Amino acid sequence: MRRSPLLDRPDAVANPVGDLDAAVPARYGDPLREQNALLDGRAATALARDVVAVTGPDRLGWLTSLSSQELTRLTPGDGGAETLLLDAQGHITHALACVDDGTALWLVTEAGRGRELAEFLDSMRFMLRVEVAVREDAAVLAALGEGGGALEEASRAAGAYLATWRDPWPGVVEGGTSYDVGLAREHPGAGYRATWVLVQADAAGTVADAFLAGGNAAADVGGAERRNSMPGVPGRSLAGSLAWEALRVEAGRPRWGREVDARTIPHELDWLRTAVHLNRGCYPGQETIARTLNLGRPPRRLTILQLDGFTGQLPVPGANVRLGERAVGVVTSVARHVDYGPMALSLLRRGVPADAPLTVDIAAEAEEEETDSATGSREEPEAVAGVDAAQEPLVSPEGRAQATPAERPGAGLGRREARGQEVNRRQGAGRGLLR
């Protein structure tokens, strides 16, 4: 993606060079106040994302055949869907927000991943009527709650609107399932309503001004001097990536650039909620999806960690999570939440008891580079201390989903009968019948 023009605003503070969100502002002031503004629907933010567009009459069926979600029913204005591209072993290679406008299928992926995605899709076109293009001229802005509608209105008023994607998390979409068997509580992201608005990249600043002015596109006429003199909607503001990420962590919302490593499968992140359709035909990685759901359990599980805030220190992504002296997981995302203080997302071994007291490694530079710790890198620094952590599981330690059969398929059959049943299952999957 291009460097966001919002970084040119006088109050914008940049993320560290090399950070996943380096192309967008980290904050404009106090990130804790920015969180409150986002929660109230009074703030908008820029997301560090690449955009790829697929055109041609075969685009929806073609991407459905390559990915984990049923996309053929997408229609303009429906808010889109989420899908995953998997390798043959079921590991996640891309996570995509998808929205179709009737002419183009817009795919949103992590910043820096668009060209690789486009090259992969191009290699899979064969004789189908599709065209793939990286859209450097498109940018992604976002808001929560009622702010999503206000942001879309502002982008239309500014003449920069391209498409709107409404994040389905943490709902369970048609054909999906949740890995929360045994977790007797409301999902921590129950109130999370995120909207992403795709806009013309060179007009992102104009859209931001229109949002602040209440959808008045004329806010950009006459240059910066007039914009600064125009009254805006009381309480509206911009928010940086630190505030957005803190609310994502609170909601337990997985992000490819943070929670995914080379061996991650969707079950570990509870991504079958929103990005996988269980009742459709073959696609790469489907066998792992079906086998883990019906016959096995995910080896790791995503959890929120509530961190001890008295030390004033934050771990960095990649820090070890320990049960006693033994490393049992790794931190993937870290944030300071306005209400709950220091928090993290972590991938733990599934067998770690949900009530087990844990500690997270703290590195020597964590005290000196607080901003870096909150946004993080994947490097694992030398640990010099630890911070206590309590779990809020997102994926059940039982490793069972709501759609997992009560009894293992084939139980009670002899070995020969079970083998014949498995052959029939695979043949059925090839005809579009999962299970």
Side-chain angles (χ1 to χ4, degrees):
M1 65 171 289
R2 298 176 184 172
R3 177 181 180 276
S4 174
L6 299 186
L7 281 166
D8 296 328
R9 301 180 77 92
D11 52 349
V13 177
N15 281 294
V17 175
D19 186 83
L20 187 62
D21 292 320
V24 299
R27 59 184 178 86
Y28 299 87
D30 181 354
L32 300 182
R33 291 183 178 180
E34 292 173 10
Q35 289 178 45
N36 276 330
L38 283 168
L39 287 169
D40 292 342
R42 297 183 288 105
T45 190
L47 300 184
R49 301 294 190 275
D50 280 358
V51 179
V52 173
V54 182
T55 56
D58 296 331
R59 63 189 183 280
L60 295 178
W62 174 62
L63 196 64
T64 294
S65 71
L66 297 175
S67 72
S68 62
Q69 188 57 271
E70 173 59 64
L71 303 175
T72 58
R73 288 175 286 185
L74 291 183
T75 57
D78 65 359
E82 183 176 30
T83 194
L84 306 173
L85 297 183
L86 311 175
D87 67 15
Q89 289 74 44
H91 303 133
I92 305 169
T93 59
H94 292 275
L96 307 175
C98 312
V99 59
D100 193 82
D101 64 7
T103 301
L105 177 61
W106 299 89
L107 308 176
V108 183
T109 187
E110 290 285 358
R113 298 278 295 168
R115 196 156 302 280
E116 180 181 333
L117 172 63
E119 289 173 355
F120 168 74
L121 293 177
D122 260 331
S123 73
M124 302 298 290
R125 285 194 312 162
F126 305 113
M127 299 296 292
L128 294 174
R129 299 169 296 171
V130 293
E131 296 292 335
V132 180
V134 178
R135 293 295 298 268
E136 293 282 354
D137 61 336
V140 182
L141 304 179
L144 295 178
E146 295 181 359
L151 181 60
E152 181 176 341
E153 178 185 351
S155 68
R156 291 183 185 277
Y161 178 77
L162 296 175
T164 298
W165 183 73
R166 296 182 181 87
D167 191 346
W169 187 267
V172 178
V173 302
E174 181 181 352
T177 189
S178 56
Y179 266 87
D180 56 1
V181 171
L183 301 181
R185 52 102 177 103
E186 185 178 50
H187 193 282
Y192 187 75
R193 292 193 297 124
T195 299
W196 297 8
V197 180
L198 281 64
V199 302
Q200 296 170 12
D202 58 2
T206 306
V207 175
D209 289 325
F211 175 82
L212 297 174
N216 184 1
D220 192 53
V221 178
E225 184 175 345
R226 177 173 178 181
R227 290 198 304 272
N228 292 337
S229 67
M230 292 184 65
V233 174
R236 280 199 185 173
S237 61
L238 297 179
S241 63
L242 292 179
W244 184 266
E245 284 291 282
L247 300 179
R248 178 186 68 83
V249 170
E250 180 206 2
R253 212 289 179 232
R255 178 180 176 184
W256 188 93
R258 298 294 188 197
E259 277 62 62
V260 174
D261 60 25
R263 58 195 178 98
T264 306
I265 60 175
H267 316 66
E268 296 176 321
L269 304 180
D270 207 12
W271 234 332
L272 274 68
R273 283 178 175 271
T274 57
V276 177
H277 198 296
L278 298 174
N279 304 313
R280 43 152 304 205
C282 289
Y283 56 89
Q286 184 192 33
E287 184 172 354
T288 296
I289 295 291
R291 184 176 64 247
T292 304
L293 177 69
N294 293 319
L295 303 176
R297 299 182 183 186
R300 300 178 296 177
R301 59 179 179 85
L302 188 66
T303 189
I304 295 174
L305 295 180
Q306 301 287 347
L307 304 176
D308 182 358
F310 289 104
T311 66
Q313 296 174 303
L314 285 177
V316 297
N320 282 324
V321 181
R322 300 183 183 275
L323 178 57
E325 295 296 319
R326 184 166 59 102
V328 294
V330 64
V331 168
T332 58
S333 295
V334 185
R336 290 191 188 276
H337 192 275
V338 62
D339 293 324
Y340 304 117
M343 305 178 71
L345 290 178
S346 173
L347 269 173
L348 302 178
R349 295 178 184 176
R350 182 181 48 79
V352 175
D355 58 353
L358 304 174
T359 58
V360 180
D361 288 352
I362 297 292
E365 61 268 32
E367 231 177 330
E368 302 172 3
E369 300 182 13
E370 185 172 306
T371 301
D372 286 5
S373 299
T375 55
S377 69
R378 284 289 186 175
E379 296 180 2
E380 184 180 329
E382 182 180 356
V384 297
V387 60
D388 293 337
Q391 300 177 57
E392 187 174 2
L394 296 165
V395 172
S396 168
E398 295 183 26
R400 296 178 61 246
Q402 297 295 338
T404 299
E407 185 177 65
R408 178 187 175 102
L413 297 177
R415 181 177 300 176
R416 181 175 299 175
E417 293 169 301
R419 185 179 302 165
Q421 187 182 73
E422 173 64 11
V423 169
N424 290 336
R425 186 194 68 78
R426 294 191 182 189
Q427 290 174 344
R431 295 189 295 270
L433 300 174
L434 185 66
R435 307 185 204 282

